[in-house]
Amino acid sequence: LFPNPAKNNISINNLNFQGAYNISNVLGVVMMSGTYGSSSLSIDVGGLKKNIYFIEIDGLILKFIKE
């Protein structure tokens, strides 16, 4: 997952070719969700407030900071 911290976009590589993701805040509230259909993904997080978030994707939970 990069860049971290992020301002407008996050990118994730080496994914399974199809799946879904959820982005949650530290309270577990899902802020964004979507699907993908390739081994890499770019997500626009520009609309999120500055905070710490978790993305659940491809069986992993990754933490990122939104600046």
Side-chain angles (χ1 to χ4, degrees):
L1 177 127
F2 64 94
N4 194 6
K7 291 188 179 184
N8 294 313
N9 292 293
I10 57 172
S11 296
I12 305 170
N13 294 328
N14 301 320
L15 298 168
N16 288 327
F17 280 96
Q18 190 171 344
Y21 67 87
N22 290 318
I23 297 178
S24 304
N25 63 17
V26 293
L27 300 175
V29 177
V30 175
M31 308 298 291
M32 296 176 66
S33 62
T35 59
Y36 61 93
S38 69
S39 63
S40 63
L41 174 66
S42 180
I43 303 170
D44 180 0
V45 294
L48 295 175
K49 294 181 180 180
K50 293 181 181 181
N51 207 337
I52 296 171
Y53 294 93
F54 298 91
I55 181 166
E56 183 176 356
I57 188 166
D58 209 17
L60 301 171
I61 298 175
L62 306 170
K63 179 175 109 175
F64 71 94
I65 298 168
K66 168 63 170 72
E67 290 188 329

